Amino acid sequence: NVVFQTDEFVLTCRLPEGNFPNYKAVIPKKNDKKMVIDRLHLKSSVDRVSICSDKQTHQVVLSITSEKLKVESQDLDFSKRGEDSLACVFNEPEFRIGFNAKLFVQMLEVIESNDITIEKSEPIRGAIITPVESITPDQSMKMLIMPVQISN
């Protein structure tokens, strides 16, 4: 690992072993499904609900309608279930997708914008997370999170 530290930030780097995947191939180009939501409310909701998720998959399921996001998780082995609802703006009637809660929360923690946009094309393709407000006029951020298969 290499760590670069200044008064304003800390950057930690790690050299991965093996071939780096072609990131341009996994970033979806046409994302027609877009949701805008409050980042902190979403992070808090996923944190709370993921307590009841399966400890191996950390799966949370987002069920999205045009005005509401339902965050759900369950652990069938211990008969635990968590559910929360949030207000959102979504341009489709309904959509359902699963994510690893730990990775999702880590991504939401580093974004500084109050609101975020999550763009999707299909439940099996990656989702693009971007802040609604840019950090600075000449700087932008785009994050890719891959979905997990939703268990029934």
Side-chain angles (χ1 to χ4, degrees):
N1 289 342
V2 174
V3 178
F4 301 95
Q5 186 170 353
T6 70
D7 293 337
E8 297 176 11
F9 68 89
V10 175
L11 175 65
T12 304
C13 301
R14 180 173 56 108
L15 181 61
E17 293 184 22
N19 294 331
F20 192 75
N22 181 1
Y23 69 91
K24 291 181 181 179
V26 295
I27 296 177
K29 305 288 185 275
K30 295 180 182 177
N31 296 307
D32 57 338
K33 296 163 183 61
K34 295 181 182 179
M35 175 178 68
V36 177
I37 191 163
D38 182 285
R39 176 186 64 87
L40 291 176
H41 289 155
L42 177 59
K43 180 190 164 300
S44 296
S45 179
V46 172
D47 266 340
R48 280 191 306 275
V49 171
S50 68
I51 292 170
C52 299
S53 69
D54 182 288
K55 297 307 173 214
Q56 290 184 333
T57 65
H58 305 286
Q59 180 189 72
V60 292
V61 176
L62 307 182
S63 300
I64 313 162
T65 62
S66 60
E67 297 176 351
K68 185 172 99 173
L69 166 68
K70 186 162 69 169
V71 181
E72 305 169 90
S73 70
Q74 65 179 349
D75 186 343
L76 296 174
D77 293 337
F78 294 99
S79 298
K80 295 188 302 186
R81 179 174 170 74
E83 185 177 303
D84 197 8
S85 293
L86 300 168
C88 72
V89 176
F90 189 53
N91 67 340
E92 294 286 322
E94 60 182 55
F95 194 78
R96 199 171 137 104
I97 189 165
F99 293 120
N100 177 309
K102 285 189 171 201
L103 296 175
F104 196 38
V105 167
Q106 286 176 352
M107 294 174 91
L108 296 174
E109 285 175 343
V110 299
I111 298 173
E112 295 178 7
S113 173
N114 291 331
D115 294 327
I116 59 167
T117 302
I118 301 176
E119 301 177 33
K120 284 289 303 159
S121 58
E122 321 171 20
I124 60 170
R125 303 272 318 196
I128 302 294
I129 301 172
T130 56
V132 170
E133 303 96 25
S134 294
I135 300 167
T136 63
D138 61 338
Q139 192 176 29
S140 65
M141 175 186 281
K142 183 182 285 190
M143 299 177 141
L144 172 71
I145 185 167
M146 298 305 288
V148 296
Q149 184 175 2
I150 299 174
S151 56
N152 293 327

mmCIF file with all atom_site columns, all heavy atoms in Angstrom, residues 98-122:
data_model
loop_
_atom_site.group_PDB
_atom_site.id
_atom_site.type_symbol
_atom_site.label_atom_id
_atom_site.label_alt_id
_atom_site.label_comp_id
_atom_site.label_asym_id
_atom_site.label_entity_id
_atom_site.label_seq_id
_atom_site.pdbx_PDB_ins_code
_atom_site.Cartn_x
_atom_site.Cartn_y
_atom_site.Cartn_z
_atom_site.occupancy
_atom_site.B_iso_or_equiv
_atom_site.pdbx_formal_charge
_atom_site.auth_seq_id
_atom_site.auth_comp_id
_atom_site.auth_asym_id
_atom_site.auth_atom_id
_atom_site.pdbx_PDB_model_num
ATOM 1   N N   . GLY A 1 98  ? -30.784 -5.482 -6.491  1.00 0.00 ? 98  GLY A N   1
ATOM 2   C CA  . GLY A 1 98  ? -30.093 -5.819 -5.249  1.00 0.00 ? 98  GLY A CA  1
ATOM 3   C C   . GLY A 1 98  ? -28.645 -5.363 -5.282  1.00 0.00 ? 98  GLY A C   1
ATOM 4   O O   . GLY A 1 98  ? -27.998 -5.385 -6.326  1.00 0.00 ? 98  GLY A O   1
ATOM 5   N N   . PHE A 1 99  ? -28.130 -4.945 -4.110  1.00 0.00 ? 99  PHE A N   1
ATOM 6   C CA  . PHE A 1 99  ? -26.737 -4.535 -3.967  1.00 0.00 ? 99  PHE A CA  1
ATOM 7   C C   . PHE A 1 99  ? -26.146 -5.127 -2.705  1.00 0.00 ? 99  PHE A C   1
ATOM 8   O O   . PHE A 1 99  ? -26.862 -5.457 -1.756  1.00 0.00 ? 99  PHE A O   1
ATOM 9   C CB  . PHE A 1 99  ? -26.604 -3.009 -3.865  1.00 0.00 ? 99  PHE A CB  1
ATOM 10  C CG  . PHE A 1 99  ? -26.962 -2.261 -5.118  1.00 0.00 ? 99  PHE A CG  1
ATOM 11  C CD1 . PHE A 1 99  ? -27.985 -1.326 -5.110  1.00 0.00 ? 99  PHE A CD1 1
ATOM 12  C CD2 . PHE A 1 99  ? -26.266 -2.461 -6.290  1.00 0.00 ? 99  PHE A CD2 1
ATOM 13  C CE1 . PHE A 1 99  ? -28.308 -0.626 -6.243  1.00 0.00 ? 99  PHE A CE1 1
ATOM 14  C CE2 . PHE A 1 99  ? -26.590 -1.756 -7.446  1.00 0.00 ? 99  PHE A CE2 1
ATOM 15  C CZ  . PHE A 1 99  ? -27.616 -0.837 -7.414  1.00 0.00 ? 99  PHE A CZ  1
ATOM 16  N N   . ASN A 1 100 ? -24.819 -5.191 -2.662  1.00 0.00 ? 100 ASN A N   1
ATOM 17  C CA  . ASN A 1 100 ? -24.108 -5.520 -1.441  1.00 0.00 ? 100 ASN A CA  1
ATOM 18  C C   . ASN A 1 100 ? -24.135 -4.260 -0.582  1.00 0.00 ? 100 ASN A C   1
ATOM 19  O O   . ASN A 1 100 ? -23.599 -3.221 -0.968  1.00 0.00 ? 100 ASN A O   1
ATOM 20  C CB  . ASN A 1 100 ? -22.670 -5.932 -1.770  1.00 0.00 ? 100 ASN A CB  1
ATOM 21  C CG  . ASN A 1 100 ? -21.836 -6.217 -0.544  1.00 0.00 ? 100 ASN A CG  1
ATOM 22  O OD1 . ASN A 1 100 ? -21.765 -5.427 0.390   1.00 0.00 ? 100 ASN A OD1 1
ATOM 23  N ND2 . ASN A 1 100 ? -21.180 -7.361 -0.556  1.00 0.00 ? 100 ASN A ND2 1
ATOM 24  N N   . ALA A 1 101 ? -24.766 -4.330 0.591   1.00 0.00 ? 101 ALA A N   1
ATOM 25  C CA  . ALA A 1 101 ? -24.966 -3.152 1.439   1.00 0.00 ? 101 ALA A CA  1
ATOM 26  C C   . ALA A 1 101 ? -23.653 -2.521 1.877   1.00 0.00 ? 101 ALA A C   1
ATOM 27  O O   . ALA A 1 101 ? -23.537 -1.290 1.921   1.00 0.00 ? 101 ALA A O   1
ATOM 28  C CB  . ALA A 1 101 ? -25.802 -3.524 2.655   1.00 0.00 ? 101 ALA A CB  1
ATOM 29  N N   . LYS A 1 102 ? -22.658 -3.335 2.199   1.00 0.00 ? 102 LYS A N   1
ATOM 30  C CA  . LYS A 1 102 ? -21.383 -2.782 2.667   1.00 0.00 ? 102 LYS A CA  1
ATOM 31  C C   . LYS A 1 102 ? -20.718 -1.926 1.588   1.00 0.00 ? 102 LYS A C   1
ATOM 32  O O   . LYS A 1 102 ? -20.253 -0.817 1.857   1.00 0.00 ? 102 LYS A O   1
ATOM 33  C CB  . LYS A 1 102 ? -20.440 -3.906 3.098   1.00 0.00 ? 102 LYS A CB  1
ATOM 34  C CG  . LYS A 1 102 ? -20.809 -4.518 4.411   1.00 0.00 ? 102 LYS A CG  1
ATOM 35  C CD  . LYS A 1 102 ? -19.724 -5.457 4.875   1.00 0.00 ? 102 LYS A CD  1
ATOM 36  C CE  . LYS A 1 102 ? -20.037 -5.875 6.295   1.00 0.00 ? 102 LYS A CE  1
ATOM 37  N NZ  . LYS A 1 102 ? -18.884 -6.371 7.003   1.00 0.00 ? 102 LYS A NZ  1
ATOM 38  N N   . LEU A 1 103 ? -20.673 -2.437 0.367   1.00 0.00 ? 103 LEU A N   1
ATOM 39  C CA  . LEU A 1 103 ? -20.067 -1.675 -0.727  1.00 0.00 ? 103 LEU A CA  1
ATOM 40  C C   . LEU A 1 103 ? -20.884 -0.420 -1.041  1.00 0.00 ? 103 LEU A C   1
ATOM 41  O O   . LEU A 1 103 ? -20.328 0.653  -1.282  1.00 0.00 ? 103 LEU A O   1
ATOM 42  C CB  . LEU A 1 103 ? -19.954 -2.537 -1.980  1.00 0.00 ? 103 LEU A CB  1
ATOM 43  C CG  . LEU A 1 103 ? -19.037 -3.750 -1.885  1.00 0.00 ? 103 LEU A CG  1
ATOM 44  C CD1 . LEU A 1 103 ? -19.121 -4.583 -3.159  1.00 0.00 ? 103 LEU A CD1 1
ATOM 45  C CD2 . LEU A 1 103 ? -17.612 -3.315 -1.626  1.00 0.00 ? 103 LEU A CD2 1
ATOM 46  N N   . PHE A 1 104 ? -22.194 -0.553 -1.023  1.00 0.00 ? 104 PHE A N   1
ATOM 47  C CA  . PHE A 1 104 ? -23.093 0.552  -1.332  1.00 0.00 ? 104 PHE A CA  1
ATOM 48  C C   . PHE A 1 104 ? -22.900 1.689  -0.322  1.00 0.00 ? 104 PHE A C   1
ATOM 49  O O   . PHE A 1 104 ? -22.754 2.854  -0.693  1.00 0.00 ? 104 PHE A O   1
ATOM 50  C CB  . PHE A 1 104 ? -24.529 0.033  -1.343  1.00 0.00 ? 104 PHE A CB  1
ATOM 51  C CG  . PHE A 1 104 ? -25.524 0.940  -1.998  1.00 0.00 ? 104 PHE A CG  1
ATOM 52  C CD1 . PHE A 1 104 ? -25.221 1.660  -3.133  1.00 0.00 ? 104 PHE A CD1 1
ATOM 53  C CD2 . PHE A 1 104 ? -26.805 1.049  -1.477  1.00 0.00 ? 104 PHE A CD2 1
ATOM 54  C CE1 . PHE A 1 104 ? -26.160 2.478  -3.740  1.00 0.00 ? 104 PHE A CE1 1
ATOM 55  C CE2 . PHE A 1 104 ? -27.747 1.863  -2.072  1.00 0.00 ? 104 PHE A CE2 1
ATOM 56  C CZ  . PHE A 1 104 ? -27.422 2.586  -3.198  1.00 0.00 ? 104 PHE A CZ  1
ATOM 57  N N   . VAL A 1 105 ? -22.850 1.355  0.964   1.00 0.00 ? 105 VAL A N   1
ATOM 58  C CA  . VAL A 1 105 ? -22.675 2.368  2.006   1.00 0.00 ? 105 VAL A CA  1
ATOM 59  C C   . VAL A 1 105 ? -21.301 3.030  1.888   1.00 0.00 ? 105 VAL A C   1
ATOM 60  O O   . VAL A 1 105 ? -21.179 4.248  2.034   1.00 0.00 ? 105 VAL A O   1
ATOM 61  C CB  . VAL A 1 105 ? -22.889 1.757  3.407   1.00 0.00 ? 105 VAL A CB  1
ATOM 62  C CG1 . VAL A 1 105 ? -22.400 2.683  4.508   1.00 0.00 ? 105 VAL A CG1 1
ATOM 63  C CG2 . VAL A 1 105 ? -24.361 1.427  3.621   1.00 0.00 ? 105 VAL A CG2 1
ATOM 64  N N   . GLN A 1 106 ? -20.260 2.254  1.595   1.00 0.00 ? 106 GLN A N   1
ATOM 65  C CA  . GLN A 1 106 ? -18.928 2.835  1.427   1.00 0.00 ? 106 GLN A CA  1
ATOM 66  C C   . GLN A 1 106 ? -18.915 3.867  0.307   1.00 0.00 ? 106 GLN A C   1
ATOM 67  O O   . GLN A 1 106 ? -18.281 4.919  0.424   1.00 0.00 ? 106 GLN A O   1
ATOM 68  C CB  . GLN A 1 106 ? -17.896 1.750  1.126   1.00 0.00 ? 106 GLN A CB  1
ATOM 69  C CG  . GLN A 1 106 ? -17.529 0.910  2.317   1.00 0.00 ? 106 GLN A CG  1
ATOM 70  C CD  . GLN A 1 106 ? -16.568 -0.218 1.956   1.00 0.00 ? 106 GLN A CD  1
ATOM 71  O OE1 . GLN A 1 106 ? -16.288 -0.472 0.780   1.00 0.00 ? 106 GLN A OE1 1
ATOM 72  N NE2 . GLN A 1 106 ? -16.070 -0.899 2.962   1.00 0.00 ? 106 GLN A NE2 1
ATOM 73  N N   . MET A 1 107 ? -19.621 3.588  -0.760  1.00 0.00 ? 107 MET A N   1
ATOM 74  C CA  . MET A 1 107 ? -19.687 4.535  -1.873  1.00 0.00 ? 107 MET A CA  1
ATOM 75  C C   . MET A 1 107 ? -20.439 5.798  -1.466  1.00 0.00 ? 107 MET A C   1
ATOM 76  O O   . MET A 1 107 ? -20.014 6.913  -1.778  1.00 0.00 ? 107 MET A O   1
ATOM 77  C CB  . MET A 1 107 ? -20.356 3.882  -3.079  1.00 0.00 ? 107 MET A CB  1
ATOM 78  C CG  . MET A 1 107 ? -19.540 2.750  -3.650  1.00 0.00 ? 107 MET A CG  1
ATOM 79  S SD  . MET A 1 107 ? -20.407 1.877  -4.957  1.00 0.00 ? 107 MET A SD  1
ATOM 80  C CE  . MET A 1 107 ? -19.851 2.812  -6.369  1.00 0.00 ? 107 MET A CE  1
ATOM 81  N N   . LEU A 1 108 ? -21.544 5.621  -0.766  1.00 0.00 ? 108 LEU A N   1
ATOM 82  C CA  . LEU A 1 108 ? -22.342 6.774  -0.355  1.00 0.00 ? 108 LEU A CA  1
ATOM 83  C C   . LEU A 1 108 ? -21.598 7.655  0.650   1.00 0.00 ? 108 LEU A C   1
ATOM 84  O O   . LEU A 1 108 ? -21.833 8.866  0.705   1.00 0.00 ? 108 LEU A O   1
ATOM 85  C CB  . LEU A 1 108 ? -23.675 6.307  0.238   1.00 0.00 ? 108 LEU A CB  1
ATOM 86  C CG  . LEU A 1 108 ? -24.610 5.576  -0.729  1.00 0.00 ? 108 LEU A CG  1
ATOM 87  C CD1 . LEU A 1 108 ? -25.825 5.042  0.012   1.00 0.00 ? 108 LEU A CD1 1
ATOM 88  C CD2 . LEU A 1 108 ? -25.022 6.479  -1.880  1.00 0.00 ? 108 LEU A CD2 1
ATOM 89  N N   . GLU A 1 109 ? -20.706 7.074  1.435   1.00 0.00 ? 109 GLU A N   1
ATOM 90  C CA  . GLU A 1 109 ? -19.959 7.835  2.441   1.00 0.00 ? 109 GLU A CA  1
ATOM 91  C C   . GLU A 1 109 ? -18.984 8.831  1.828   1.00 0.00 ? 109 GLU A C   1
ATOM 92  O O   . GLU A 1 109 ? -18.707 9.863  2.421   1.00 0.00 ? 109 GLU A O   1
ATOM 93  C CB  . GLU A 1 109 ? -19.187 6.888  3.361   1.00 0.00 ? 109 GLU A CB  1
ATOM 94  C CG  . GLU A 1 109 ? -20.069 6.183  4.365   1.00 0.00 ? 109 GLU A CG  1
ATOM 95  C CD  . GLU A 1 109 ? -19.326 5.157  5.207   1.00 0.00 ? 109 GLU A CD  1
ATOM 96  O OE1 . GLU A 1 109 ? -18.204 4.747  4.830   1.00 0.00 ? 109 GLU A OE1 1
ATOM 97  O OE2 . GLU A 1 109 ? -19.880 4.760  6.240   1.00 0.00 ? 109 GLU A OE2 1
ATOM 98  N N   . VAL A 1 110 ? -18.436 8.561  0.667   1.00 0.00 ? 110 VAL A N   1
ATOM 99  C CA  . VAL A 1 110 ? -17.405 9.435  0.099   1.00 0.00 ? 110 VAL A CA  1
ATOM 100 C C   . VAL A 1 110 ? -17.955 10.544 -0.785  1.00 0.00 ? 110 VAL A C   1
ATOM 101 O O   . VAL A 1 110 ? -17.224 11.451 -1.159  1.00 0.00 ? 110 VAL A O   1
ATOM 102 C CB  . VAL A 1 110 ? -16.340 8.624  -0.678  1.00 0.00 ? 110 VAL A CB  1
ATOM 103 C CG1 . VAL A 1 110 ? -15.637 7.661  0.235   1.00 0.00 ? 110 VAL A CG1 1
ATOM 104 C CG2 . VAL A 1 110 ? -16.937 7.922  -1.868  1.00 0.00 ? 110 VAL A CG2 1
ATOM 105 N N   . ILE A 1 111 ? -19.236 10.504 -1.086  1.00 0.00 ? 111 ILE A N   1
ATOM 106 C CA  . ILE A 1 111 ? -19.850 11.557 -1.900  1.00 0.00 ? 111 ILE A CA  1
ATOM 107 C C   . ILE A 1 111 ? -20.193 12.728 -0.994  1.00 0.00 ? 111 ILE A C   1
ATOM 108 O O   . ILE A 1 111 ? -20.727 12.540 0.098   1.00 0.00 ? 111 ILE A O   1
ATOM 109 C CB  . ILE A 1 111 ? -21.114 11.023 -2.616  1.00 0.00 ? 111 ILE A CB  1
ATOM 110 C CG1 . ILE A 1 111 ? -20.742 9.886  -3.561  1.00 0.00 ? 111 ILE A CG1 1
ATOM 111 C CG2 . ILE A 1 111 ? -21.822 12.149 -3.369  1.00 0.00 ? 111 ILE A CG2 1
ATOM 112 C CD1 . ILE A 1 111 ? -21.927 9.194  -4.191  1.00 0.00 ? 111 ILE A CD1 1
ATOM 113 N N   . GLU A 1 112 ? -19.887 13.936 -1.433  1.00 0.00 ? 112 GLU A N   1
ATOM 114 C CA  . GLU A 1 112 ? -20.141 15.124 -0.620  1.00 0.00 ? 112 GLU A CA  1
ATOM 115 C C   . GLU A 1 112 ? -21.480 15.787 -0.916  1.00 0.00 ? 112 GLU A C   1
ATOM 116 O O   . GLU A 1 112 ? -21.965 16.569 -0.122  1.00 0.00 ? 112 GLU A O   1
ATOM 117 C CB  . GLU A 1 112 ? -19.006 16.130 -0.808  1.00 0.00 ? 112 GLU A CB  1
ATOM 118 C CG  . GLU A 1 112 ? -17.679 15.604 -0.290  1.00 0.00 ? 112 GLU A CG  1
ATOM 119 C CD  . GLU A 1 112 ? -16.536 16.572 -0.514  1.00 0.00 ? 112 GLU A CD  1
ATOM 120 O OE1 . GLU A 1 112 ? -16.779 17.711 -0.949  1.00 0.00 ? 112 GLU A OE1 1
ATOM 121 O OE2 . GLU A 1 112 ? -15.393 16.173 -0.259  1.00 0.00 ? 112 GLU A OE2 1
ATOM 122 N N   . SER A 1 113 ? -22.080 15.488 -2.038  1.00 0.00 ? 113 SER A N   1
ATOM 123 C CA  . SER A 1 113 ? -23.344 16.099 -2.449  1.00 0.00 ? 113 SER A CA  1
ATOM 124 C C   . SER A 1 113 ? -24.489 15.629 -1.549  1.00 0.00 ? 113 SER A C   1
ATOM 125 O O   . SER A 1 113 ? -24.502 14.494 -1.083  1.00 0.00 ? 113 SER A O   1
ATOM 126 C CB  . SER A 1 113 ? -23.630 15.701 -3.901  1.00 0.00 ? 113 SER A CB  1
ATOM 127 O OG  . SER A 1 113 ? -24.895 16.127 -4.300  1.00 0.00 ? 113 SER A OG  1
ATOM 128 N N   . ASN A 1 114 ? -25.467 16.505 -1.317  1.00 0.00 ? 114 ASN A N   1
ATOM 129 C CA  . ASN A 1 114 ? -26.646 16.118 -0.531  1.00 0.00 ? 114 ASN A CA  1
ATOM 130 C C   . ASN A 1 114 ? -27.501 15.111 -1.278  1.00 0.00 ? 114 ASN A C   1
ATOM 131 O O   . ASN A 1 114 ? -27.992 14.158 -0.686  1.00 0.00 ? 114 ASN A O   1
ATOM 132 C CB  . ASN A 1 114 ? -27.495 17.347 -0.184  1.00 0.00 ? 114 ASN A CB  1
ATOM 133 C CG  . ASN A 1 114 ? -26.795 18.256 0.798   1.00 0.00 ? 114 ASN A CG  1
ATOM 134 O OD1 . ASN A 1 114 ? -25.988 17.810 1.608   1.00 0.00 ? 114 ASN A OD1 1
ATOM 135 N ND2 . ASN A 1 114 ? -27.066 19.537 0.702   1.00 0.00 ? 114 ASN A ND2 1
ATOM 136 N N   . ASP A 1 115 ? -27.696 15.338 -2.569  1.00 0.00 ? 115 ASP A N   1
ATOM 137 C CA  . ASP A 1 115 ? -28.512 14.455 -3.386  1.00 0.00 ? 115 ASP A CA  1
ATOM 138 C C   . ASP A 1 115 ? -27.633 13.730 -4.395  1.00 0.00 ? 115 ASP A C   1
ATOM 139 O O   . ASP A 1 115 ? -26.615 14.254 -4.851  1.00 0.00 ? 115 ASP A O   1
ATOM 140 C CB  . ASP A 1 115 ? -29.592 15.241 -4.146  1.00 0.00 ? 115 ASP A CB  1
ATOM 141 C CG  . ASP A 1 115 ? -30.623 15.857 -3.215  1.00 0.00 ? 115 ASP A CG  1
ATOM 142 O OD1 . ASP A 1 115 ? -30.910 15.245 -2.172  1.00 0.00 ? 115 ASP A OD1 1
ATOM 143 O OD2 . ASP A 1 115 ? -31.125 16.944 -3.535  1.00 0.00 ? 115 ASP A OD2 1
ATOM 144 N N   . ILE A 1 116 ? -28.052 12.509 -4.739  1.00 0.00 ? 116 ILE A N   1
ATOM 145 C CA  . ILE A 1 116 ? -27.330 11.726 -5.739  1.00 0.00 ? 116 ILE A CA  1
ATOM 146 C C   . ILE A 1 116 ? -28.304 11.258 -6.808  1.00 0.00 ? 116 ILE A C   1
ATOM 147 O O   . ILE A 1 116 ? -29.510 11.203 -6.584  1.00 0.00 ? 116 ILE A O   1
ATOM 148 C CB  . ILE A 1 116 ? -26.613 10.498 -5.121  1.00 0.00 ? 116 ILE A CB  1
ATOM 149 C CG1 . ILE A 1 116 ? -27.621 9.578  -4.429  1.00 0.00 ? 116 ILE A CG1 1
ATOM 150 C CG2 . ILE A 1 116 ? -25.501 10.924 -4.196  1.00 0.00 ? 116 ILE A CG2 1
ATOM 151 C CD1 . ILE A 1 116 ? -27.058 8.215  -4.068  1.00 0.00 ? 116 ILE A CD1 1
ATOM 152 N N   . THR A 1 117 ? -27.742 10.905 -7.942  1.00 0.00 ? 117 THR A N   1
ATOM 153 C CA  . THR A 1 117 ? -28.507 10.286 -9.021  1.00 0.00 ? 117 THR A CA  1
ATOM 154 C C   . THR A 1 117 ? -27.985 8.868  -9.188  1.00 0.00 ? 117 THR A C   1
ATOM 155 O O   . THR A 1 117 ? -26.777 8.650  -9.232  1.00 0.00 ? 117 THR A O   1
ATOM 156 C CB  . THR A 1 117 ? -28.322 11.055 -10.343 1.00 0.00 ? 117 THR A CB  1
ATOM 157 O OG1 . THR A 1 117 ? -28.736 12.404 -10.148 1.00 0.00 ? 117 THR A OG1 1
ATOM 158 C CG2 . THR A 1 117 ? -29.136 10.428 -11.455 1.00 0.00 ? 117 THR A CG2 1
ATOM 159 N N   . ILE A 1 118 ? -28.904 7.907  -9.238  1.00 0.00 ? 118 ILE A N   1
ATOM 160 C CA  . ILE A 1 118 ? -28.550 6.521  -9.531  1.00 0.00 ? 118 ILE A CA  1
ATOM 161 C C   . ILE A 1 118 ? -29.181 6.195  -10.871 1.00 0.00 ? 118 ILE A C   1
ATOM 162 O O   . ILE A 1 118 ? -30.393 6.297  -11.033 1.00 0.00 ? 118 ILE A O   1
ATOM 163 C CB  . ILE A 1 118 ? -29.039 5.556  -8.432  1.00 0.00 ? 118 ILE A CB  1
ATOM 164 C CG1 . ILE A 1 118 ? -28.418 5.937  -7.084  1.00 0.00 ? 118 ILE A CG1 1
ATOM 165 C CG2 . ILE A 1 118 ? -28.692 4.105  -8.798  1.00 0.00 ? 118 ILE A CG2 1
ATOM 166 C CD1 . ILE A 1 118 ? -28.903 5.104  -5.915  1.00 0.00 ? 118 ILE A CD1 1
ATOM 167 N N   . GLU A 1 119 ? -28.337 5.816  -11.827 1.00 0.00 ? 119 GLU A N   1
ATOM 168 C CA  . GLU A 1 119 ? -28.798 5.528  -13.183 1.00 0.00 ? 119 GLU A CA  1
ATOM 169 C C   . GLU A 1 119 ? -28.636 4.047  -13.475 1.00 0.00 ? 119 GLU A C   1
ATOM 170 O O   . GLU A 1 119 ? -27.619 3.453  -13.147 1.00 0.00 ? 119 GLU A O   1
ATOM 171 C CB  . GLU A 1 119 ? -28.003 6.333  -14.206 1.00 0.00 ? 119 GLU A CB  1
ATOM 172 C CG  . GLU A 1 119 ? -28.099 7.819  -14.013 1.00 0.00 ? 119 GLU A CG  1
ATOM 173 C CD  . GLU A 1 119 ? -27.251 8.580  -15.005 1.00 0.00 ? 119 GLU A CD  1
ATOM 174 O OE1 . GLU A 1 119 ? -27.102 8.120  -16.154 1.00 0.00 ? 119 GLU A OE1 1
ATOM 175 O OE2 . GLU A 1 119 ? -26.733 9.640  -14.632 1.00 0.00 ? 119 GLU A OE2 1
ATOM 176 N N   . LYS A 1 120 ? -29.661 3.453  -14.111 1.00 0.00 ? 120 LYS A N   1
ATOM 177 C CA  . LYS A 1 120 ? -29.674 2.024  -14.421 1.00 0.00 ? 120 LYS A CA  1
ATOM 178 C C   . LYS A 1 120 ? -30.272 1.807  -15.795 1.00 0.00 ? 120 LYS A C   1
ATOM 179 O O   . LYS A 1 120 ? -31.020 2.619  -16.288 1.00 0.00 ? 120 LYS A O   1
ATOM 180 C CB  . LYS A 1 120 ? -30.562 1.273  -13.419 1.00 0.00 ? 120 LYS A CB  1
ATOM 181 C CG  . LYS A 1 120 ? -29.984 1.050  -12.074 1.00 0.00 ? 120 LYS A CG  1
ATOM 182 C CD  . LYS A 1 120 ? -28.876 0.050  -12.065 1.00 0.00 ? 120 LYS A CD  1
ATOM 183 C CE  . LYS A 1 120 ? -29.315 -1.270 -12.614 1.00 0.00 ? 120 LYS A CE  1
ATOM 184 N NZ  . LYS A 1 120 ? -28.290 -2.128 -13.091 1.00 0.00 ? 120 LYS A NZ  1
ATOM 185 N N   . SER A 1 121 ? -29.935 0.669  -16.366 1.00 0.00 ? 121 SER A N   1
ATOM 186 C CA  . SER A 1 121 ? -30.606 0.257  -17.593 1.00 0.00 ? 121 SER A CA  1
ATOM 187 C C   . SER A 1 121 ? -31.397 -1.023 -17.329 1.00 0.00 ? 121 SER A C   1
ATOM 188 O O   . SER A 1 121 ? -32.580 -1.077 -17.597 1.00 0.00 ? 121 SER A O   1
ATOM 189 C CB  . SER A 1 121 ? -29.605 0.062  -18.726 1.00 0.00 ? 121 SER A CB  1
ATOM 190 O OG  . SER A 1 121 ? -28.642 -0.904 -18.365 1.00 0.00 ? 121 SER A OG  1
ATOM 191 N N   . GLU A 1 122 ? -30.763 -2.047 -16.767 1.00 0.00 ? 122 GLU A N   1
ATOM 192 C CA  . GLU A 1 122 ? -31.409 -3.328 -16.469 1.00 0.00 ? 122 GLU A CA  1
ATOM 193 C C   . GLU A 1 122 ? -30.950 -3.812 -15.094 1.00 0.00 ? 122 GLU A C   1
ATOM 194 O O   . GLU A 1 122 ? -29.880 -3.430 -14.645 1.00 0.00 ? 122 GLU A O   1
ATOM 195 C CB  . GLU A 1 122 ? -31.027 -4.394 -17.495 1.00 0.00 ? 122 GLU A CB  1
ATOM 196 C CG  . GLU A 1 122 ? -30.917 -3.962 -18.899 1.00 0.00 ? 122 GLU A CG  1
ATOM 197 C CD  . GLU A 1 122 ? -30.322 -5.052 -19.782 1.00 0.00 ? 122 GLU A CD  1
ATOM 198 O OE1 . GLU A 1 122 ? -30.336 -6.239 -19.422 1.00 0.00 ? 122 GLU A OE1 1
ATOM 199 O OE2 . GLU A 1 122 ? -29.834 -4.692 -20.847 1.00 0.00 ? 122 GLU A OE2 1
#
